[in-house]
Every structure is written in structure tokens, then in C-alpha cells.
Amino acid sequence: MKILVINPGSTSTKMAVYEDEKPVLLRNITHTAEELAPFGAITEQQDFRRQLILDELQQANIPLEFDAVIGRGGLVKPIAGGVYEIDEQMVNDTLHGCVMHNHACNLGCLIAHEIAATIDGCRAFIADPGVVDELSPLARISGSPLMPRICIWHALNQRAIARRYARGIGKEYEDLNLIICHLGGGISVAAHQHGRAIDANNALDGEGPFSPERAGSLPAVDLIRLCFSGKYTEKQLLKRIAGQAGLTAHLGTNNMREILERIQQGDEHAQLIVDAMIYHTAKQIAAEGAVLCGQIDAILLTGGMAHSDYIVNELRKRIDFLAPVYIFPGENEMQALALNALAVLQGKRKVNTYSN
């Protein structure tokens, strides 16, 4: 089976070609600020990025002949986890209906659908987008009926890591209780109970621990007063929640390598802020232990920051009393997308319909 994988990010487009489980092409196409400047909404970049993908395929002498194209899912309506066939309703929601954010992940569905439509017999999928919502009824309730809890989290990578861990110990993901923490530009922590993420934070909009780019949970009254202070526009304040927040706001950069080097050189303020991020992340992980009533088979740490021995070791000190801790650094999203598409093509996994 030949599968084209598309994973758009804010300043890059990752693409890959797989033959069954084997990657035969991996590319990370970077986009400069100048290249993206002419575009307003993210979705206006669709033609630009699609053509770059097609150019890469042509340069690699890979014909436009695929059994499936799978894209990173966008921020559409909340859905259960799994693989979804891209249909017109999903495309319409991505463009006009349920889009909650001007986020690059919304391009994954659109480009995959467009390319697949030009290839006879080719199917178009997304898998485990960030809006996967399997929250328990208790998890949905906040202290205000005006604001029920929702989750936006790293569902794709977390599920891929969960299945990888389960295979490694000879079990099924659906047999385990896991707490998984994705340590990236945003930090998401989820309680996985027998194959369902029954609790997860909104790692994009401001809930849970702060991260390199996100503010996490903030004092509500102070935030309301700031909104009415007249000092900031709505757009500026939204950036203070996601983008220009967290380590970026405190330390002027989201580059963890640079920040960790500053700590090694004796920057006490940088160490204080990073240690605080670790502290709040550990608290969130421990809270998910309560969700699972202490019945935890393992805690899995993943994402880019899981490459850091300092961050991982400091987290372990605070959480390894809960359950064994295992490290799966990196994001693994390209392989996860490819394997999800392959499982459907081989009849090993059910494909879901978005419009139902």
C-alpha cells in the first residue's frame, strides 16, 4: 500500500511517503515569515502548501499514485478517537463551520482531500485530531454552566505512544490504564482508561500546566480584569494565552535548548521558571491519577521536551511514586498517521464517518 502523509505546522509542512510500514520519503518543508506574509487566514495557504508537496514528489520521481492520503486532523467539531474518512461536511466545517482557531493543522484535511480527489481509487483520511473528545460526564463540568470543559490535546501522538507501549509489553491499549503527558510547545496530559481518554486538558486554549508557548491555567479574576483594563486588544490577549505565553513570556524564547544552556551557565531565573513548569506538569499528572482512582499501569512521557534529561529526571522525582514512568521522546506523528491509514486499508481498523 502506498500512502502519502501530510502534517502542516505553523512554519513548516512535514510530508512522507510510506510503502506499507516503510518510509520511502520524508521531507520537512520550512516556510519563512516572508513566504507566509501574503496570506490572511491559515486556510488561504492551502494552494501554496499543496503545490510544494507536489513539487517534492516530482523531484523525488514519485508518481501521484497512492492508495490513501492521510492528513493531520484539524480543529473541527469534537469527535471520538479513530480514523475518519474525509467527506464534504468535514471540509466545509474546516473552512466555515466549526473552526475554533486559525491553526495550521486545519490544512491537513483540506490538502489530503484535494490531492486524493485527483487520484483514481485513492482514499482520504484524518486520524485522532486534537479535538478528539471522549471525556467522562464528570470531566465536562466546570464551575460555571456557561463554560463546560473541552479538550484540545495531542491525541494522535498520545494514542500512538500508548499502542507502542502496549505492544512492547504484549498487551492491548484497550487493556491498560495509562497517564500520558505530551511535552511540546503545548503540554497535554490525559488519563487513558481501557482505550478511551476520559480526561484531558485543553492544552491550546489555557488549561493545565504552562509550557514553552502556552499560558496554561490562569487566575480567572485577574484575567477578567486584564481584559477590561483597556491595555490590550482581544487579539493581543489571545496571544498571551497561546503563542506569546509560558516560557516565551517569561524568558523571551521558546527554544528549550537555549533555555537549558542558560540554566547550565547559572541563569537562576531561567531555572526557576523551568522548574515551575515541571512542578505544574507533575501536579497535572498526579491529578489524572485521581481520575483513574490510583489504578495506573504506567505513566508515559513523550513530545520534544522528553529528549531533555533534566526535564525528565525532575518530573520523575515528583511522579514515579504513582506508577512506573517510561520515556518516548519526540512526536512520532508521521508514522502514526501512516500506520492508521494502513490499518484501515488492510481491514484491521474500522474507519469512522464524520458526518454521522
Side-chain angles (χ1 to χ4, degrees):
M1 297 291 182
K2 291 187 66 177
I3 301 164
L4 174 62
V5 182
I6 300 168
N7 185 356
S10 57
T11 59
S12 68
T13 301
K14 296 177 183 177
M15 59 168 291
V17 174
Y18 277 74
E19 292 182 358
D20 290 337
E21 299 181 7
K22 180 184 177 183
V24 296
L25 177 72
L26 295 169
R27 293 286 187 270
N28 185 7
I29 309 167
T30 58
H31 313 303
T32 66
E34 291 74 22
E35 287 176 321
L36 300 181
F39 303 104
I42 285 287
T43 50
E44 293 177 13
Q45 300 175 18
Q46 179 179 344
D47 291 343
F48 166 72
R49 297 208 194 201
R50 173 184 51 79
Q51 190 58 50
L52 290 174
I53 292 168
L54 296 178
D55 290 346
E56 289 289 340
L57 292 173
Q58 186 176 34
Q59 290 172 18
N61 294 316
I62 296 177
L64 206 58
E65 298 171 356
F66 296 101
D67 297 286
V69 184
I70 186 165
R72 180 183 179 188
L75 302 178
V76 289
K77 67 181 181 181
I79 54 178
V83 183
Y84 284 79
E85 196 110 33
I86 300 173
D87 58 21
E88 292 300 329
Q89 185 62 53
M90 185 187 293
V91 170
N92 185 65
D93 283 355
T94 302
L95 287 170
H96 309 295
C98 301
V99 174
M100 294 178 282
H101 295 278
N102 193 30
H103 196 286
C105 64
N106 292 319
L107 291 167
C109 156
L110 300 176
I111 297 174
H113 180 260
E114 188 174 17
I115 291 178
T118 67
I119 305 170
D120 289 340
C122 183
R123 301 173 73 180
F125 304 121
I126 65 166
D128 290 326
V131 291
V132 165
D133 184 344
E134 299 167 342
L135 298 183
S136 72
L138 294 176
R140 297 185 191 282
I141 298 172
S142 77
S144 170
L146 298 175
M147 292 176 281
R149 288 187 69 239
I150 65 168
C151 55
I152 301 177
W153 57 296
H154 301 90
L156 177 63
N157 189 44
Q158 286 207 22
R159 284 192 187 281
I161 292 303
R163 292 191 177 100
R164 179 176 162 188
Y165 170 74
R167 285 195 302 270
I169 62 171
K171 293 188 177 182
E172 297 294 329
Y173 166 51
E174 291 76 13
D175 297 331
L176 300 172
N177 282 351
L178 304 169
I179 298 174
I180 306 180
C181 175
H182 180 106
L183 298 159
I187 295 175
S188 65
V189 185
H192 297 248
Q193 184 178 62
H194 301 305
R196 293 180 63 83
I198 62 171
D199 193 88
N201 63 306
N202 184 339
L204 179 61
D205 275 344
E207 188 184 43
F210 69 86
S211 71
E213 299 175 359
R214 315 279 161 74
S217 298
L218 295 170
V221 171
D222 289 342
L223 181 59
I224 291 171
R225 287 175 178 156
L226 197 62
C227 290
F228 286 90
S229 69
K231 296 179 181 179
Y232 303 96
T233 66
E234 178 185 7
K235 186 176 181 179
Q236 288 172 329
L237 284 172
L238 289 173
K239 283 286 188 182
R240 296 299 181 100
I241 299 295
Q244 297 171 0
L247 298 185
T248 301
H250 282 286
L251 301 175
T253 180
N254 64 357
N255 187 318
M256 281 307 305
R257 184 174 298 176
E258 175 187 329
I259 292 170
L260 291 170
E261 286 177 358
R262 284 164 58 176
I263 292 173
Q264 288 180 343
Q265 293 167 6
D267 188 330
E268 294 182 359
H269 180 64
Q271 180 161 358
L272 174 67
I273 300 303
V274 170
D275 285 351
M277 179 184 72
I278 294 168
Y279 171 91
H280 288 289
T281 302
K283 279 204 306 182
Q284 185 75 30
I285 291 170
E288 298 299 352
V291 169
L292 295 172
C293 299
Q295 303 300 308
I296 311 162
D297 292 298
I299 299 170
L300 312 182
L301 304 180
T302 184
M305 286 195 291
H307 285 289
S308 165
D309 290 339
Y310 179 81
I311 291 173
V312 166
N313 291 337
E314 291 301 307
L315 263 178
R316 279 185 186 274
K317 292 178 185 178
R318 295 185 179 275
I319 62 174
D320 65 4
F321 72 96
L322 293 165
V325 179
Y326 299 92
I327 316 302
F328 296 86
E331 296 189 347
N332 306 288
E333 290 180 338
M334 303 303 284
Q335 182 186 45
L337 287 168
L339 293 180
N340 271 292
L342 181 62
V344 170
L345 293 173
Q346 293 178 337
K348 296 177 180 178
R349 189 165 299 159
K350 175 185 175 185
V351 67
N352 298 301
T353 302
Y354 175 81
S355 298
N356 287 351

